[in-house]
Amino acid sequence: MRTVYRGSVVETTRVVENGIVVTQGEHILYAGEEGGYAYSGDEEIRDYSGQWIIPGLIDIHVHGNAGHDVMDGTREALVAISKSLSSYGITGFLATTMTAPFAEIERALNAVVETVGSPELAAEVLGVHLEGPWINPKMKGAQAEENIVHPTEERVDAILRLIGENLRVVTIAPEMPEAMAAIEKLAGQGVICSIGHSDATIEQVNEAVERGASHATHMFNGMRGLHHREPGVVGATLVHDRMTCDIIADFIHVHPNAVELVYRMKGRERLLLISDGMRAVGMPDGTYDLGGQTVHVHKCIARLTDGTLAGSTLTLNRAIGHLVETLHLSMPDAVYMAATAPAVKLGVSERKGSLEAGKDADLVVMAPDYSVRATVVKGRMVYQEGESV
């Protein structure tokens, strides 16, 4: 049985009004102008006229959702997070950890290994983003300082033994003791080394890039800022062609004009949208836990007791809306940064990140107000507005 999704199809360079996406099993059979597809008579038609049909979104930095956190260290938490994420158009994500005692990190990583590929998942777990504990205490943000440690060879080996190829991204401060050697080793294993929670100088960033670092975590937040005599992590990232970066486009963590600056410097190919979502996503204002620290959420803004921003309650569908409505970016460009660019960075673009024949049938139906009406993962409807899937 083939399924035809009819609507405004968002391709990488254009929006095909009155287009279609045809899926068969787990894959896309056709995407584009309806006139370019020969109907066989064996199709189920799902008409979403007036809605956008976009590729499944990929969030490489998300800690939690719907009252659950990756650091809960359970399969149940990861499944619940994946189901919540699917309601925001996420079809794949990296389970992101926090700075914590090694035993807690180990428990969280073991839960990920046990859950990857589970049929219970809605959005796929594409691996792990290890954010901390190999960061600079000066730039700790909402990370617990008492659990920050240096990335010794023994600690790096321990993590690799635990999860191997499931380790996709490591946020690391290259100026810390033993960090450069860790970057070289991790990059050699195919891990994306991302500079973040870092007070590195431009010279230290340049060395880290030579050692294999290729990304920067949540631009502007938790990093040495731009100064005309010391460009720091921000300046180095902006000018370094070999570096990609990600950003929290909630316009709380970063001013709209600063988001626009990064977009103009890096382009859509080297800028990824992330949520940095925590367990308060989709929940009412109140008090929550993040990495063992108390977080107060008021008007959807999450802060520690001392006022430090602590993760976010952003979702990627809303981030797309912010870029289109406030910065006046095109829908293809905004979607590219939330779907295609992450797929390219993770090395999965041959099967994910865009609506093309042969790729996984990961797609999202998005309303004109950027809310999500339906989410499909590998041809399976995992979320439908107003229904229990």
Side-chain angles (χ1 to χ4, degrees), residues 79-130:
V79 169
I81 291 167
S82 81
K83 290 180 177 178
S84 176
L85 286 171
S86 72
S87 71
Y88 305 115
I90 305 299
T91 58
F93 70 103
L94 296 187
T96 306
T97 60
M98 291 282 292
T99 296
F102 182 77
E104 294 180 22
I105 294 175
E106 182 179 25
R107 185 172 70 247
L109 298 182
N110 283 332
V112 172
V113 172
E114 293 169 5
T115 309
V116 166
S118 170
E120 298 175 81
L121 293 167
E124 286 186 78
V125 178
L126 300 176
V128 169
H129 177 166
L130 191 78

Side-chain angles (χ1 to χ4, degrees), residues 105-366:
I105 294 175
E106 182 179 25
R107 185 172 70 247
L109 298 182
N110 283 332
V112 172
V113 172
E114 293 169 5
T115 309
V116 166
S118 170
E120 298 175 81
L121 293 167
E124 286 186 78
V125 178
L126 300 176
V128 169
H129 177 166
L130 191 78
E131 187 188 21
W134 303 328
I135 59 176
N136 190 328
K138 181 179 177 181
M139 295 293 183
K140 65 182 184 297
Q143 307 273 345
E145 183 171 351
E146 63 271 19
N147 297 316
I148 294 173
V149 296
H150 298 155
T152 63
E153 184 176 6
E154 292 75 18
R155 288 167 176 152
V156 171
D157 286 343
I159 295 294
L160 288 171
R161 281 196 302 271
L162 270 175
I163 56 173
E165 64 182 14
N166 287 307
L167 183 60
R168 306 308 307 279
V169 177
V170 170
T171 291
I172 189 167
E175 72 275 16
M176 300 306 290
E178 303 191 67
M180 292 295 183
I183 288 169
E184 192 164 356
K185 180 164 192 171
L186 289 164
Q189 295 290 318
V191 178
I192 297 166
C193 291
S194 183
I195 299 173
H197 292 282
S198 167
D199 193 37
T201 64
I202 191 167
E203 288 81 8
Q204 290 167 325
V205 174
N206 288 341
E207 182 182 350
V209 171
E210 290 302 315
R211 298 280 194 123
S214 66
H215 193 70
T217 296
H218 45 51
M219 275 293 284
F220 299 107
N221 298 112
M223 62 176 60
R224 183 188 283 245
L226 176 65
H227 187 277
H228 58 286
R229 285 190 294 273
E230 172 44 68
V233 181
V234 169
T237 301
L238 290 176
V239 302
H240 222 304
D241 288 342
R242 290 162 64 181
M243 289 189 72
T244 53
C245 59
D246 56 55
I247 203 160
I248 308 168
D250 58 359
F251 298 162
I252 297 164
H253 283 76
V254 185
H255 190 279
N257 291 138
V259 176
E260 184 177 13
L261 170 65
V262 180
Y263 170 74
R264 290 190 181 193
M265 290 291 294
K266 304 303 289 184
R268 67 176 194 170
E269 289 82 8
R270 291 179 291 169
L271 177 59
L272 285 60
L273 299 182
I274 59 166
S275 69
D276 200 6
M278 43 92 73
R279 69 171 80 240
V281 174
M283 304 291 284
D285 282 358
T287 300
Y288 296 88
D289 168 83
L290 178 66
Q293 300 190 93
T294 300
V295 176
H296 306 282
V297 178
H298 178 63
K299 294 184 178 179
C300 296
I301 301 174
R303 297 183 184 273
L304 299 180
T305 303
D306 66 4
T308 301
L309 286 169
S312 85
T313 61
L314 180 67
T315 56
L316 289 196
N317 60 312
R318 287 167 44 213
I320 289 170
H322 291 164
L323 297 190
V324 174
E325 298 298 326
T326 302
L327 298 186
H328 308 295
L329 301 190
S330 71
M331 191 67 175
D333 280 358
V335 170
Y336 193 101
M337 291 182 278
T340 314
V344 171
K345 189 66 185 179
L346 292 178
V348 297
S349 60
E350 77 286 349
R351 60 189 178 91
K352 296 184 180 294
S354 58
L355 300 174
E356 298 177 71
K359 291 193 174 185
D360 289 351
D362 293 355
L363 60 92
V364 176
V365 179
M366 182 177 282

Side-chain angles (χ1 to χ4, degrees), residues 27-39:
H27 298 99
I28 295 172
L29 189 65
Y30 174 84
E33 303 279 356
E34 188 165 13
Y37 173 71
Y39 281 90

